[in-house]
Amino acid sequence: MADTVIKTEALTKIFERGRKREIVALDRVDLEVRRGEVFGLLGPNGAGKTTLIRLLVGLLTPTSGRAFVLGRDVTQDIDYIRERVALLPQEAGIYERLTARENLVYYGGLYGIPEDELNRRADRLLDIIGLTDRQHHQVKSFSGGMKRKVLVARALIIEPELVFLDEPTTGVDTLGARVVRNMLKKLSSQENRTIVLTTHDLHEVSELCDRVGILNKGQLVAVGKPNELEDKFKAANLEEVFTALVTGEGLEA
Ligand SMILES: Nc1ncnc2c1ncn2[C@@H]1O[C@H](COP(=O)(O)OP(=O)(O)O)[C@@H](O)[C@H]1O
Ligand SMILES: [Mg+2]
């Protein structure tokens, strides 16, 4: 249990739309994520990825089922969880007029981290994201990939045990996405943090993630290491597994 950072039991979220229409955004999901792993939540648009993350950080309440983060129930101990968990939302905004460094330090200051400690963390993170040279430039002059890196670093300034990155490379061009992926690789090897990221990019998952969960229409349809899933579904690559599970074509597991 000490090594489990996320555990959900039949976690369900239903959105009411009008009096009759219901959307089952998450349907009885049982998930376990272990300390130190990079876990990828993969699924097409509308699969429920963002909803799952929002439930795990207390931005939504479950309709039924349970969710534990760092051993605490999200409906009971959300303050404990929020102090130790960071979220980079899908539509995160950055302070364009602040410099890269100011973005990190300002955000960390909101959490009451002392200035000298904040400076040490900022130095290290700027080095990891490769922006030490540009740290005093206003972020508005940065490319999409560079901005995204600053946002990821900003989420990490609180030294969270667990970090959720909701589509960290979506909307960033190919080159920028590569830059962000390389940074995430470096982070996962240098820092012993648990990273949960969502994506609809299969290559991203196979490149970065120790384990993957595939969500489709609110259901967790497969969980495992990328190569385990390929074996299980007798597929040549993750793309085939994904296509089979999401479209129902050629499934043999
Ligand atoms: N606040 C909301 N109110 C109503 N429906 C929502 C809300 N948030 C998400 N949904 C619906 O729940 C489903 C899952 O959405 P989401 O979790 O955003 O999927 P993903 O992140 O995988 O693209 C979608 O059908 C979406 O329209
Ligand atoms: Mg989403």
Side-chain angles (χ1 to χ4, degrees):
M1 189 61 194
D3 278 318
T4 301
V5 287
I6 297 172
K7 186 166 174 55
T8 71
E9 295 167 357
L11 188 63
T12 299
K13 180 65 185 180
I14 298 172
F15 291 108
E16 311 281 345
R17 278 235 176 116
R19 256 187 308 157
K20 291 232 174 74
R21 240 165 73 73
E22 286 188 337
I23 293 168
V24 183
L26 220 57
D27 190 2
R28 288 162 294 157
V29 167
D30 296 315
L31 175 70
E32 213 175 313
V33 175
R34 298 163 202 147
R35 188 172 300 277
E37 72 181 349
V38 181
F39 189 90
L41 273 171
L42 186 66
N45 282 333
K49 303 180 297 294
T50 297
T51 300
L52 177 53
I53 288 184
R54 291 172 66 87
L55 285 165
L56 294 174
V57 298
L59 293 172
L60 290 171
T61 44
T63 305
S64 62
R66 308 228 284 166
F68 301 89
V69 173
L70 306 175
R72 308 288 179 111
D73 188 319
V74 295
T75 63
Q76 309 280 329
D77 278 327
I78 202 61
D79 291 342
Y80 176 93
I81 295 167
R82 285 207 181 128
E83 279 173 22
R84 292 161 180 85
V85 171
L87 164 67
L88 174 59
Q90 199 167 346
E91 312 287 348
I94 196 163
Y95 309 111
E96 298 269 347
R97 288 211 253 204
L98 298 187
T99 66
R101 186 180 189 91
E102 285 165 350
N103 260 278
L104 305 188
V105 169
Y106 175 72
Y107 188 79
L110 298 177
Y111 281 80
I113 301 163
E115 202 179 317
D116 50 346
E117 173 61 23
L118 214 44
N119 281 322
R120 269 195 297 276
R121 293 185 191 183
D123 286 341
R124 207 192 64 244
L125 284 166
L126 286 160
D127 179 45
I128 292 176
I129 66 176
L131 284 178
T132 301
D133 291 350
R134 303 279 302 263
Q135 62 175 302
H136 299 302
H137 291 236
Q138 282 187 326
V139 160
K140 67 179 178 198
S141 68
F142 288 6
S143 70
M146 286 160 70
K147 284 182 188 168
R148 220 33 102 95
K149 291 202 300 183
V150 175
L151 283 168
V152 175
R154 190 176 82 182
L156 291 164
I157 195 97
I158 66 165
E159 300 205 331
E161 289 181 46
L162 168 66
V163 55
F164 292 104
L165 306 172
D166 198 358
E167 312 232 2
T169 60
T170 301
V172 180
D173 62 30
T174 318
L175 210 63
R178 168 149 306 284
V179 165
V180 173
R181 279 200 292 273
N182 286 340
M183 175 201 54
L184 291 177
K185 270 196 231 164
K186 207 161 160 186
L187 274 171
S188 69
S189 61
Q190 290 185 3
E191 315 250 310
N192 185 32
R193 314 240 173 267
T194 311
I195 299 177
V196 175
L197 63 94
T198 74
T199 182
H200 49 253
D201 184 333
L202 290 146
H203 303 289
E204 188 155 304
V205 158
S206 26
E207 199 178 320
L208 285 179
C209 300
D210 302 310
R211 289 197 310 137
V212 194
I214 300 180
L215 268 177
N216 189 38
K217 297 180 182 154
Q219 296 183 339
L220 191 64
V221 290
V223 183
K225 295 182 175 155
N227 62 342
E228 283 172 5
L229 292 177
E230 287 158 14
D231 291 349
K232 182 173 175 202
F233 292 98
K234 301 185 177 65
N237 52 47
L238 209 54
E239 188 155 14
E240 278 185 29
V241 176
F242 185 74
T243 309
L245 286 167
V246 170
T247 66
E249 277 168 28
L251 203 63
E252 277 187 55

